[in-house]
Amino acid sequence: MAGMAGLAVNLAGALSGARTAPGLTAGSDLGTLTLQLAMPNEEMAHLLSSNSSGIARRAGVKLSSARGAGGLPVLKVSGTAVANSVACYLIQDRLFMMN
């Protein structure tokens, strides 16, 4: 549970612009955050970020695939905190249904 308290502090700092938690960066628009979610492979990141997945449209976020630290494939989710939460749910659901 101690880790959750640290996450809350880092999230509050990221929202205020004072600090940024790992994987969470303040966007150019006030209230826009970017999450970087590790993906099992690059193909999955591309598939989820494509328009055909419908996730970005339904959640109201911008999705893109990239390479993170150490070349790890990541899915970038940019939007408000609520929109990012919806996108994370849809991404998790899609990943579950694909496996």
Side-chain angles (χ1 to χ4, degrees), residues 48-51 53-64 83 87 90:
L48 292 171
S49 67
S50 70
N51 287 335
S53 76
I55 294 172
R57 179 183 46 79
R58 286 185 278 164
V61 298
K62 179 181 172 189
L63 296 176
S64 62
L90 294 172

Side-chain angles (χ1 to χ4, degrees), residues 21-96:
L24 183 67
T25 56
S28 58
D29 298 332
L30 187 61
T32 299
L33 303 171
T34 299
L35 299 174
Q36 294 187 12
L37 307 176
M39 291 287 114
N41 55 54
E42 195 170 338
E43 181 183 352
M44 192 70 67
H46 286 301
L47 181 64
L48 292 171
S49 67
S50 70
N51 287 335
S52 64
S53 76
I55 294 172
R57 179 183 46 79
R58 286 185 278 164
V61 298
K62 179 181 172 189
L63 296 176
S64 62
S65 59
R67 289 252 175 218
L72 185 71
V74 295
L75 179 64
K76 291 185 176 184
V77 182
S78 299
T80 65
V82 172
N84 285 353
S85 297
V86 172
C88 285
Y89 171 80
L90 294 172
I91 291 164
Q92 182 179 11
D93 183 60
R94 185 68 51 91
L95 287 170
F96 176 77

Side-chain angles (χ1 to χ4, degrees), residues 1-10:
M1 284 303 228
M4 294 302 285
L7 178 61
V9 169
N10 285 338

